[in-house]
Amino acid sequence: MELDSTDKQLLDILQQGFPLVAEPFRELGQRLGIGTQEALRRVKDLKARRIIRETGGIFDSRVLG
């Protein structure tokens, strides 16, 4: 499965932390120099190819109490 440099950058950003903003795919697109819809399409494609298996939050329960 070939990944281009944008896909690799996208995966790096997602592993560091998904942007918790009102428009996260717009933020991803801005960071990558692509449009909002292109960022969303790439994430969907990576999920369809099972390169991204799941997305979800990880919470530190010790901090939350």
Side-chain angles (χ1 to χ4, degrees):
M1 292 184 197
E2 289 287 323
L3 297 175
D4 65 16
S5 63
T6 302
D7 284 337
K8 289 177 184 177
Q9 289 175 325
L10 175 59
L11 289 171
D12 284 341
I13 292 169
L14 294 176
Q15 288 179 329
Q16 293 171 17
F18 192 81
L20 297 177
V21 297
E23 297 183 59
F25 293 99
R26 181 178 182 197
E27 174 70 25
L28 288 172
Q30 288 175 344
R31 291 187 196 181
L32 296 167
I34 60 176
T36 303
Q37 292 302 314
E38 177 69 10
L40 180 57
R41 185 198 63 76
R42 284 177 178 269
V43 169
K44 286 180 177 181
D45 180 61
L46 291 168
K47 285 188 85 160
R49 292 167 54 192
R50 304 195 58 82
I51 293 168
I52 296 174
R53 288 181 281 159
E54 67 178 76
T55 55
I58 300 173
F59 300 96
D60 186 342
S61 58
R62 294 170 293 173
V63 174
L64 296 173

